[in-house]
Amino acid sequence: MKILVSACLLGVPCRYDGASKPNAAVIALAKQHQLIPVCPEVEGGLSTPRSPAELQGERVQTKAGKDVTAAYQKGAQKALLVAIQNSCTHAILKEKSPSCGKGLVYDGTFSQQLTKGDGLTAACLMQHGITVYGESEILLLGS
């Protein structure tokens, strides 16, 4: 199976802080599946590193108050295109992110508080029939 994966989970230093969040369990999936890395934020034109951003309603705002929604939307569309081009039916994305978070995202106050919701890329992929998992849910991949 081909699985779309947040590039930061595979060790690519593309997060807002210039780091990665390699996840051994996700990386181990490469033994059985073809992993297709994508960073929607970079694909949307944002630099690494970049100002932290959180969802505030339907918009994505940086901590400094800059609206970066358009870049996040562009990145979501590019991630969807990568998934379609590679026939990915599943995705494993970085939890809590304003682009990749599924189920819970930071609440927009930059206080580390979580709220129910999905990041723009996760929502876009799910709207197009792609099954999305957070990195802590990969055991569900086989079910």
Side-chain angles (χ1 to χ4, degrees), residues 50-67:
R50 57 189 163 274
S51 184
E54 293 186 6
L55 279 168
Q56 295 179 349
E58 300 295 315
R59 312 300 297 171
V60 184
Q61 303 278 341
T62 67
K63 193 170 184 177
K66 181 180 179 187
D67 187 322

Side-chain angles (χ1 to χ4, degrees), residues 41-119:
E41 295 170 19
V42 171
E43 291 294 325
L46 297 173
S47 64
T48 303
R50 57 189 163 274
S51 184
E54 293 186 6
L55 279 168
Q56 295 179 349
E58 300 295 315
R59 312 300 297 171
V60 184
Q61 303 278 341
T62 67
K63 193 170 184 177
K66 181 180 179 187
D67 187 322
V68 289
T69 306
Y72 277 74
Q73 290 170 333
K74 180 179 177 183
Q77 291 301 311
K78 286 193 171 191
L80 175 62
L81 183 60
V82 169
I84 291 169
Q85 289 172 336
N86 288 280
S87 302
C88 297
T89 56
H90 295 74
I92 301 172
L93 302 179
K94 181 70 188 102
E95 295 170 347
K96 305 173 191 170
S97 156
S99 55
C100 295
K102 180 192 161 260
L104 289 173
V105 293
Y106 289 111
D107 71 358
T109 64
F110 297 92
S111 62
Q112 300 294 307
Q113 296 299 310
L114 296 171
T115 188
K116 288 183 182 181
D118 299 312

